[in-house]
């Protein structure tokens, strides 16, 4: 059995995985309540909470530690202090039990998370099921990243990840969080934007729209959210506080709609840039993938392309250790040294 530890930002998480059973246990402690008071993640407080919560989480393990044969831990990207706590815990366990320890790239954890449930339904025949889904086009949308990537097996049989499109400025989650702040909705912004957007009137009342970046540049395969944020800021500057207050749902719906249109538009451009039938599945993962309007948009794209949508169950969208455990097993060639953490790691910088 493999034990995974994830502590890259503000979630303390552990999980157990075995190739025969899949994810056998996964739990986490979210620090959102602590950071909400400060309007964003405070790194020092994150470290303190990790230190307090990991012992409690370890007490919840449903099996004795002697059944754990390997430890996997996130080594980056993330906050330096947060990463260091998880890595120290993983090293201590590995040393005490005399077992192997491996480092996992947090982003590869997200990227492979659409396959966790594919494995869960039929662990024995997972390899055949996976082969039918590759090449896979995935969208990773979180607070720090917006990436379209392709997963395939290369000539040596290794899983390869290639970035197809990235953001030139903010990540989608970051843009939603900042827009929520401008609208005075609170933190974390993404879920609040979704909540307010759901209350928007069906018939729009405001003379306000946001054009997704690169809409008029049909060959461009990249994301950008800063212009959309500026459009919202300029509009808000012309409104009274009372007007903003009264129109929060509509403003949230307009901004969220533009973010989703942008994510969908670029994903569809990638499909059009390839010969028909090249991709065999579409994936959606990361914290923003919990957004139901985004999920609906991706269900539609998958239908249009005649592909299965491998979306991730909400518990595995935000930061969690299940995806770290799964990536440690699925992607042995992507494993990293645990000698030192790597806060700036990107999805594709592993010199595989
Ligand atoms: O993957 P994640 O938990 O953390 C990292 O960034 O690594 O993603 C967090 C992001 C935040 O920007 C948060 O606002 C966004 O995911 N998010 C959402 C929703 N739930 C979380 N965005 C839109 N709709 C949601 N329901």
């Amino acid at each position: 059995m493999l034990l995974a530890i994830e502590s890259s930002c503000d979630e303390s998480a552990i999980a157990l995985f075995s190739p025969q059973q899949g994810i056998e246990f996964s739990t986490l402690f979210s620090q959102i309540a602590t950071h909400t008071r400060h309007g964003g993640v405070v790194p020092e407080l994150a470290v303190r909470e990790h230190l307090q919560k990991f012992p409690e989480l370890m007490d919840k393990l449903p099996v004795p530690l002697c059944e754990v044969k390997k430890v996997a831990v996130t080594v980056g990207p993330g906050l330096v202090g947060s990463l260091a706590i998880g890595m120290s815990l993983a090293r201590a366990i590995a040393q005490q039990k005399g077992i192997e320890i491996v480092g996992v790239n947090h982003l590869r954890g997200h990227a492979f998370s659409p396959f966790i449930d594919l494995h869960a339904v039929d662990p024995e025949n997972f390899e055949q099921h996976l082969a039918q889904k590759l090449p896979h086009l995935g969208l990773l949308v979180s607070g720090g990243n917006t990436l379209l990537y392709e997963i395939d097996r290369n000539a040596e049989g290794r899983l390869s990840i290639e970035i197809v499109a990235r953001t030139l400025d903010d990540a989608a989650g970051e843009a939603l969080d900042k827009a929520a702040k401008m609208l005075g909705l609170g933190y974390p912004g993404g879920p609040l934007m979704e909540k307010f957007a759901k209350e928007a009137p069906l018939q729009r009342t405001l003379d306000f729209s946001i054009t997704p970046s690169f809409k008029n540049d049909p060959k461009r395969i990249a994301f950008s959210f800063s212009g959309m944020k500026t459009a919202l800021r300029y509009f808000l500057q012309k409104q009274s506080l009372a007007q903003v207050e009264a129109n929060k749902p509509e403003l949230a719906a307009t901004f969220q709609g533009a973010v989703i249109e942008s994510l969908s538009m670029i994903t569809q451009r990638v499909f059009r840039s390839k010969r028909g039938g090249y991709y065999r599945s579409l994936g959606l993962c990361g914290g923003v993938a919990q957004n139901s309007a985004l999920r609906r948009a991706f269900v539609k794209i998958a239908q249009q392309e005649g592909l299965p949508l491998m979306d991730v169950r909400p518990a595995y969208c935000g930061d969690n250790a299940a995806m770290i455990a799964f990536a440690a097993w699925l992607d042995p060639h992507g494993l990293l040294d645990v000698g030192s953490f790597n806060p700036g790691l990107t999805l594709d910088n592993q010199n595989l």
Side-chain angles (χ1 to χ4, degrees):
M1 193 164 334
L2 180 142
L3 167 70
I5 296 172
E6 152 68 35
S7 69
S8 60
C9 189
D10 58 344
E11 261 94 25
S12 319
I14 58 172
L16 290 171
F17 173 88
S18 74
Q20 301 76 26
Q21 305 292 329
I23 302 297
E24 298 199 28
F25 175 73
S26 177
T27 189
L28 61 80
F29 172 77
S30 166
Q31 306 177 356
I32 279 184
T34 301
H35 301 294
T36 296
R37 279 176 243 138
H38 304 274
V41 177
V42 182
E44 290 81 0
L45 295 181
V47 168
R48 194 181 71 185
E49 295 258 287
H50 283 311
L51 279 170
Q52 279 171 358
K53 292 299 170 184
F54 269 117
E56 289 175 29
L57 292 175
M58 291 299 291
D59 280 344
K60 291 188 184 168
L61 270 187
V63 297
L65 260 186
C66 58
E67 288 189 26
V68 171
K69 303 295 176 225
K70 198 191 260 194
V71 186
V73 63
T74 304
V75 296
L79 301 171
V80 172
S82 290
L83 289 167
I85 304 291
M87 290 176 68
S88 307
L89 173 62
R91 279 211 208 98
I93 294 170
Q95 218 161 37
Q96 195 202 8
K97 299 290 165 195
I99 54 177
E100 189 186 354
I101 175 169
V102 293
V104 176
N105 178 337
H106 178 87
L107 296 177
R108 287 179 92 88
H110 276 303
F112 290 119
S113 64
F115 301 120
I116 297 178
D117 282 337
L118 184 70
H119 175 270
V121 291
D122 187 9
E124 219 172 293
N125 299 304
F126 172 69
E127 269 309 318
Q128 289 103 290
H129 295 307
L130 180 62
Q132 290 163 7
K133 301 286 184 283
L134 302 181
H136 167 87
L137 180 67
L139 176 69
L140 162 52
V141 260
S142 68
N145 288 273
T146 304
L147 294 165
L148 266 170
Y149 57 92
E150 177 178 321
I151 300 181
D152 204 355
R153 272 207 197 280
N154 64 20
E156 294 95 54
R158 295 178 178 191
L159 285 170
S160 61
I161 299 186
E162 203 177 297
I163 295 178
V164 177
R166 63 178 87 228
T167 177
L168 306 182
D169 37 63
D170 289 348
E174 188 181 359
L176 288 166
D177 290 342
K178 288 177 180 168
K181 206 168 189 169
M182 283 187 239
L183 294 173
L185 305 188
Y187 171 88
L192 289 164
M193 291 288 276
E194 174 166 21
K195 181 171 165 277
F196 275 81
K198 278 183 181 156
E199 291 159 18
L202 286 178
Q203 289 292 342
R204 295 295 161 89
T205 59
L206 299 172
D207 182 20
F208 173 56
S209 62
I210 297 180
T211 308
S213 307
F214 309 133
K215 186 162 184 169
N216 303 318
D217 187 357
K219 292 226 155 29
R220 197 77 187 262
I221 294 188
F223 301 104
S224 168
F225 299 102
S226 68
M228 291 156 58
K229 229 174 41 193
T230 309
L232 176 64
R233 183 167 339 103
Y234 284 166
F235 182 78
L236 294 180
Q237 279 168 1
K238 289 183 272 157
Q239 304 291 302
S240 69
L241 277 180
Q243 281 171 316
V244 174
E245 189 58 38
N247 293 310
K248 277 178 177 177
E250 190 170 340
L251 291 163
T254 303
F255 191 83
Q256 179 185 277
V259 169
I260 293 173
E261 191 183 338
S262 170
L263 296 170
S264 305
M265 179 184 77
I266 301 301
T267 303
Q268 282 165 320
R269 279 184 193 171
V270 173
F271 280 117
R272 283 202 295 274
S273 74
K274 295 279 183 184
R275 64 182 153 75
Y278 175 82
Y279 289 115
R280 295 169 80 197
S281 62
L282 174 65
L284 182 62
C285 62
V288 184
Q290 291 166 94
N291 186 286
S292 52
L294 176 60
R295 280 177 180 246
R296 279 197 300 278
F298 266 61
V299 166
K300 215 161 149 190
I301 297 175
Q303 272 167 358
Q304 282 162 356
E305 299 298 326
L307 295 177
L309 176 67
M310 322 281 301
D311 69 349
V312 181
R313 66 170 86 173
Y316 301 156
C317 281
D319 293 347
N320 67 91
M323 67 180 193
I324 302 302
F326 186 69
W329 170 73
L330 179 66
D331 183 29
H333 301 288
L335 294 176
L336 299 163
D337 188 38
V338 285
S340 100
F341 46 70
N342 198 338
L345 210 54
T346 61
L347 185 59
D348 63 344
N349 78 342
Q350 305 204 48
N351 304 319
L352 296 181

